[in-house]
Amino acid sequence: MVEAKNAASSNVWDKTFKKNTNIDTKKVNFTNRYGITLVGDLYIPKNIKIANMPAIAISGPFGAVKEQASGFYAQKLAELGYMTLAFDPSYTGESGGIPRHVASPDINTEDFSAAVDFLSNQKNINPEKIGILGICGFGGFALNAAAMDTRIKATVASTMYDMGRVSANGYFDLVEEDERYSLKEKLNKQRTEDYKSGTFAPQPGLPEKLTGKEPQFIKDYFDYYKTSRGFHKRSLNSNGNWNMTSSLSFINMPILAYSSEIKSAVMLLHGENAHSKYFSEDAFKKLKGENKELLIIKDANHVDLYDNLEKIPFNKIDEFFKLNLK
């Protein structure tokens, strides 16, 4: 196990959720096949001393850090008896990668496989019992990883975004070809300007204050990322911005092209009232086999599945992983 260097001490609790003293945490790092060092928090149940434990790698939401929702899931699942790893994706949080604040359909999918590399080589983890869990945009990357990485035995995608689809087509697929071309013209012009200036222009993020006229899902995001509920200084959604040109590769590279070939188990979770529900509903239609499940959570919105214990069905997630990581 490699402990992280140049990262905040694991003895300092810097998460957005309360620490469970029955769970040990250890800051670790590992390298993906692009040579980028990823930093994660390993959550280890204190009272369960089992060799060959099942393990789950967790990341997301898109623009969040491991001290937010992914760490929340990791600790809750550790309470249920799993070794869990919440990690920051490449170019964000405490993980490496230059330039900062870049997203990539390929590299962010690879990040999940790199986490599987790491977990597969821990002496107390059974490499045949490894699952992954992606939240929001990393739900889509999790499905893409499951379509490529046959070591992944079970995948949960919670409140999933398909980042390729939304980047190319906008919400509810309302962006037409001419509009998409205009967007590409704008972003490629920005590349020229970025090269000239030696910097990367940021894309717009959440507002610092709400006017009350925003769509409900923006208000929901604000309520998580911009308040004490979920704010974290290293989170792009709380305290920063993606690079404006990050979306170019997503426009041209659909990430769920081979999701129909996933043979391992998949569970999709989505809120009944989430603006993003159609991503999971449509992704589920492509999945094949009897080991696939779509669970719609009554009266839940998109952000409820980040941290709302009354809405996140951890009992169902536990049943799913116990069945498929045995």
Side-chain angles (χ1 to χ4, degrees), residues 236-257:
L236 289 178
N237 294 339
S238 290
N239 199 34
N241 304 79
W242 289 105
N243 292 348
M244 186 182 296
T245 55
S246 280
S247 60
L248 270 170
S249 57
F250 288 98
I251 291 172
N252 208 41
M253 299 179 189
I255 61 173
L256 300 184

Side-chain angles (χ1 to χ4, degrees), residues 61-65 89-93 99-104 108 137-138 141 163 200-206 225 235-237 239-247 250:
F62 192 74
V65 288
S90 296
Y91 307 109
T92 64
R100 304 302 292 166
H101 307 169
V102 176
S104 162
N108 291 144
F138 278 80
F141 298 136
M163 293 306 302
F200 291 88
Q203 69 178 3
L206 288 172
Y225 288 110
S235 168
L236 289 178
N237 294 339
N239 199 34
N241 304 79
W242 289 105
N243 292 348
M244 186 182 296
T245 55
S246 280
S247 60
F250 288 98

